[in-house]
Amino acid sequence: FIGMTATPTIIAVDGQSWGIPIVKINSEVVVRYKAKHLICTNFDTIPYLIGTNRLPGKTMIMCGTIADCFTLQSQMQNAAVIISPHRKEFTGEMRRIRAHIIKNESLPEYFNFTKPDGSVERRPLEVLIATSTLREGLTLRETSGVRNIVSCIPDELHVTQFVGRCRYDLDNIVVAERPTHV
């Protein structure tokens, strides 16, 4: 078998993994796409970065929990949320956004936001907030307008796989730590 990975350090240690030898073909990791800036911050600064246009262009954010997704959305006007279709909170609007991304390799221009009173408002989609459900299985092209990727899960696997949805150079990768409370 010949395979490729964006995260070789998590697959093999000293050439061994899963009880079988792994032979590296390339001496170095091949990096095709890059970002101009890496920003390391915390979860609470994300709305500030977006609200003050420190992250111009469209942004995709990966949160560690559904609650964090909705917390961020409540602080941003033009942000939609997508979670796993297997969760009870999954909506038809999330299905529509996911289908658009898969079909067009781009975010939809607008989304339907349901207000607390039940009324629906059409809003421009500038920020897409998701759980790790969007870490794999879709591709975005440069014409999508997504210029920034934010990962609130700071480990290498999640960051690399989420950033890998974009098949082009980015302006900013933001890694935002979410402190855990005991």
Side-chain angles (χ1 to χ4, degrees), residues 43 45 63 115 176:
F43 180 85
T45 63
C63 292
K115 295 179 178 183

Side-chain angles (χ1 to χ4, degrees), residues 112-123:
N112 296 314
F113 178 78
T114 303
K115 295 179 178 183
D117 67 5
S119 64
V120 177
E121 178 178 273
R122 185 176 169 184
R123 293 183 177 177

Side-chain angles (χ1 to χ4, degrees), residues 76-150:
M76 295 181 233
Q77 182 69 17
N78 297 325
V81 171
I82 289 186
I83 61 173
S84 170
H86 305 292
R87 299 301 302 248
K88 67 180 183 204
E89 301 92 340
F90 187 76
T91 66
E93 182 62 6
M94 291 178 191
R95 184 178 317 284
R96 185 190 71 76
I97 293 169
R98 179 187 289 275
H100 181 95
I101 294 168
I102 292 168
K103 180 180 179 186
N104 300 293
E105 298 183 338
S106 183
L107 302 184
E109 291 296 316
Y110 296 92
F111 72 104
N112 296 314
F113 178 78
T114 303
K115 295 179 178 183
D117 67 5
S119 64
V120 177
E121 178 178 273
R122 185 176 169 184
R123 293 183 177 177
L125 181 53
E126 296 297 323
V127 179
L128 182 62
I129 307 167
T131 56
S132 61
T133 190
L134 289 188
R135 195 181 71 193
E136 294 180 347
L138 63 97
T139 298
L140 291 175
R141 299 292 170 195
E142 192 164 8
T143 56
S144 71
V146 174
R147 304 301 310 154
N148 314 290
I149 294 291
V150 178

Side-chain angles (χ1 to χ4, degrees), residues 2-182:
I2 295 177
M4 293 179 62
T5 179
T7 52
T9 58
I10 66 168
I11 291 181
V13 177
D14 296 327
Q16 293 288 320
S17 182
W18 302 298
I20 59 170
I22 294 178
V23 178
K24 287 175 58 177
I25 295 173
N26 297 349
S27 60
E28 295 180 21
V29 176
V30 176
V31 178
R32 186 165 176 194
Y33 306 110
K34 298 180 180 179
K36 293 177 186 173
H37 302 104
L38 170 64
I39 301 168
C40 297
T41 189
N42 64 47
F43 180 85
D44 295 327
T45 63
I46 296 169
Y48 169 79
L49 291 172
I50 292 171
T52 58
N53 207 28
R54 300 285 197 276
L55 302 175
K58 295 184 180 187
T59 300
M60 281 194 4
I61 302 171
M62 179 177 58
C63 292
T65 68
I66 293 170
D68 283 349
C69 290
F70 288 113
T71 295
L72 284 178
Q73 183 188 35
S74 72
Q75 298 174 51
M76 295 181 233
Q77 182 69 17
N78 297 325
V81 171
I82 289 186
I83 61 173
S84 170
H86 305 292
R87 299 301 302 248
K88 67 180 183 204
E89 301 92 340
F90 187 76
T91 66
E93 182 62 6
M94 291 178 191
R95 184 178 317 284
R96 185 190 71 76
I97 293 169
R98 179 187 289 275
H100 181 95
I101 294 168
I102 292 168
K103 180 180 179 186
N104 300 293
E105 298 183 338
S106 183
L107 302 184
E109 291 296 316
Y110 296 92
F111 72 104
N112 296 314
F113 178 78
T114 303
K115 295 179 178 183
D117 67 5
S119 64
V120 177
E121 178 178 273
R122 185 176 169 184
R123 293 183 177 177
L125 181 53
E126 296 297 323
V127 179
L128 182 62
I129 307 167
T131 56
S132 61
T133 190
L134 289 188
R135 195 181 71 193
E136 294 180 347
L138 63 97
T139 298
L140 291 175
R141 299 292 170 195
E142 192 164 8
T143 56
S144 71
V146 174
R147 304 301 310 154
N148 314 290
I149 294 291
V150 178
S151 178
C152 301
I153 306 173
D155 71 70
E156 179 185 1
L157 173 68
H158 284 81
V159 173
T160 303
Q161 287 187 329
F162 195 53
V163 168
R165 301 309 86 222
C166 299
R167 303 295 203 246
Y168 52 91
D169 291 344
L170 292 164
D171 289 342
N172 300 289
I173 296 174
V174 179
V175 179
E177 184 179 36
R178 178 71 160 145
T180 57
H181 302 287
V182 179

